[in-house]
Structure formats: C-alpha cells, structure tokens
Amino acid sequence: CRACESRTTQAGRIGHEVRMGQLQQSLCTVILVLVFSFLPYIDWAAHLGGVICGIMSGMVCFAPQIEIGYCAKFWFIIAVGINAIFYIFSLSYLFAK
C-alpha cells in the first residue's frame, strides 16, 4: 500500500512528501471551515454535514482501490449507504414545508 511504501528510494521519498503535503492542505482546510463555522449567522451543522458527506464521497471514490476485495466492497457499500441516507435526509429537509 502507499502508506507502507518504502522511503529508501527517491521515488518513495517524493511520493511520501507529496502525500504529506496533500494531507496537510486537506486538514488545514477542514480546520478553517470548522473554525469559521462558529461565527455568528453561520450554521455549524451544515459545515459538519459537508465534512461528513465529503469523507463518505471520498470513500466511494477510493474504496475500490483497496487491495483486499471484501474490504473494498464493505467500505464501498457503507459509504454509498451513508451518502444515500444523508442526501435523502437533506433533500427531504430542503423540500419540507
């Protein structure tokens, strides 16, 4: 797996540095969104729901790349199910009178 990739080669070190940079950027963005969520007139629940749906959407996109077949199927089904629940709930809340 990429997390266990050897850092002894130059390609492994570069790949590790790139992934760590991507992780730092993603975490910085999530932290900024969560900090700004607590300002007045901003709904923190919407931001929290967006973070959860974003994580689940990422799982839908990247679960098939898991090397162990049953784990890939399990996480894909879980992510699709949670996404469907969130989207149905959101749309029903949006169109409710």
Side-chain angles (χ1 to χ4, degrees), residues 23-85:
L23 177 65
Q24 290 171 351
Q25 292 170 355
S26 298
L27 288 177
C28 182
T29 302
V30 168
I31 290 170
L32 280 174
V33 166
L34 289 175
V35 167
F36 285 121
S37 295
F38 294 103
L39 292 175
Y41 307 111
I42 296 179
D43 187 18
W44 65 270
H47 284 149
L48 181 62
V51 167
I52 292 170
C53 282
I55 290 170
M56 292 300 124
S57 296
M59 286 176 64
V60 168
C61 292
F62 296 110
Q65 295 178 3
I66 297 174
E67 305 231 349
I68 302 169
Y70 66 88
C71 284
K73 291 175 186 171
F74 173 77
W75 286 114
F76 182 77
I77 291 169
I78 293 294
V80 167
I82 291 174
N83 265 332
I85 290 169

